[in-house]
Amino acid sequence: MLRAEALLLAVSLGAVLWLAVACAPGRRVSIVANGYSLRATVYGKPTPRDPRPGLLFLTGWSPSRFAWRPSNAHAGIGAKRLGCVCMTVALRGMGSPGDVARLTRADFLEDAAAAYDFLAALDGVDRERVSVVGESFGSYLACVLSA
């Protein structure tokens, strides 16, 4: 059993080290909109002299108090490899303060719109080249937001 635990630990450490090398560092930001606050992380370096495309990642349905999701790793890798400015956002009740039982789809769409507007307004992001991707519920929100 000890060998299996040691192997699991080695694989876990290897994955963490790979992510540290493969991902651009992120900086946490707070998006304040309509009396509430969303936690978000921006990856990549916006360059005002050479605006970069923006890419907003919306996560799937995952009510919790934790803001980190696998899309954070995708955003970090995308920023480093594609040279764009990527951002993940924790929707209300899914990493940002809020009660999922009381929130509606319109509330979550409002969160996605606030995140999109925040990313598009960053100095160094090309406002004409901002895209949205999502997983599961985030894909639904990305489609409705884009319509």
Side-chain angles (χ1 to χ4, degrees), residues 24-115:
R27 66 181 171 86
R28 293 183 186 204
V29 296
S30 182
I31 302 170
V32 179
N34 300 323
Y36 60 88
S37 178
L38 299 173
R39 296 177 184 138
T41 306
V42 176
Y43 297 88
K45 295 182 181 175
T47 53
R49 291 184 183 202
D50 182 24
R52 307 276 183 203
L55 187 55
L56 174 62
F57 287 79
L58 299 173
T59 63
W61 183 264
S62 183
S64 76
R65 58 187 174 91
F66 299 107
W68 192 91
R69 298 282 182 259
S71 59
N72 287 67
H74 299 291
I77 292 167
K80 189 167 186 175
R81 290 192 177 175
L82 301 175
C84 56
V85 178
C86 298
M87 187 174 84
T88 59
V89 62
L91 305 174
R92 284 180 279 174
M94 295 187 232
S96 291
D99 181 1
V100 168
R102 295 176 180 243
L103 295 166
T104 66
R105 287 180 291 190
D107 294 322
F108 295 118
L109 182 59
E110 188 176 274
D111 292 355

